[in-house]
Amino acid sequence: MVALGFSLSYGLWVRRGEADGPQGRAFALRTVSWIDRRITTPAFIAQLITGLLLVATIDWDLLRQAWLELSLGIYVLLTVLAITVYAPSFRKQREIAEAIAEGGAEGGAEGGAEGGADESAYAAAASKATTWGVIVTVLTLVIVVLMVWKPALWS
């Protein structure tokens, strides 16, 4: 739940940073990246380890429950998506935001057409990262629902 809570706050951080201009946006994206590396990702890893240890101490047959099989399958899928698509998309968004912030700090108001090109590249990268971030978050929420509800699916 700690990991999910932080994940759900990322959109708020980014929106707040967007409202603060290029430097605020870059700061917000760096902060999200910092939180993700130091809290969210380790929490998701700990969740998997402690969950498997719990299953091992209770009964391995628990893994044959449909809701748990589906949850683990979704967990694998979202981990692959997070590593292969979302993380690189977010990293690109952050890098472009930082380049724009640095260019704005050094060059003042003179960005011209290049500044517009940077902003359009940023908008494309942000859109892609946001889309994949929403997909990963929705998959995470589906897992939470399955873990709480424990529906009898095909077992």
Side-chain angles (χ1 to χ4, degrees):
M1 294 315 297
V2 169
L4 180 60
F6 279 108
S7 294
L8 293 174
S9 76
Y10 293 169
L12 299 173
W13 276 97
V14 174
R15 296 300 170 259
R16 181 67 185 108
E18 293 285 350
D20 260 1
Q23 278 73 25
R25 175 173 59 196
F27 172 77
L29 292 170
R30 279 193 309 275
T31 302
V32 166
S33 183
W34 186 90
I35 292 169
D36 194 62
R37 281 191 321 273
R38 288 173 178 76
I39 299 171
T40 307
T41 299
F44 276 124
I45 293 168
Q47 173 193 13
L48 177 64
I49 293 168
T50 58
L52 290 175
L53 288 173
L54 183 62
V55 167
T57 60
I58 294 173
D59 185 4
W60 282 107
D61 286 338
L62 182 62
L63 287 175
R64 295 196 180 131
Q65 297 292 315
W67 61 268
L68 190 52
E69 290 174 350
L70 185 57
S71 295
L72 287 170
I74 294 171
Y75 188 90
V76 169
L77 174 65
L78 84 84
T79 300
V80 169
L81 289 174
I83 291 169
T84 62
V85 184
Y86 174 63
S89 298
F90 180 82
R91 196 168 22 258
K92 182 175 181 180
Q93 176 187 8
R94 190 190 72 232
E95 289 168 356
I96 295 170
E98 288 176 355
I100 291 170
E102 289 172 11
E106 295 170 9
E110 56 181 80
E114 185 179 322
D118 289 344
E119 285 295 334
S120 64
Y122 174 79
S127 176
K128 182 176 180 183
T130 299
T131 299
W132 284 106
V134 167
I135 290 168
V136 167
T137 301
V138 166
L139 289 173
T140 304
L141 290 171
V142 168
I143 291 172
V144 170
V145 168
L146 288 169
M147 293 291 183
V148 171
W149 184 31
K150 297 176 180 54
L153 299 172
W154 58 80
S155 292

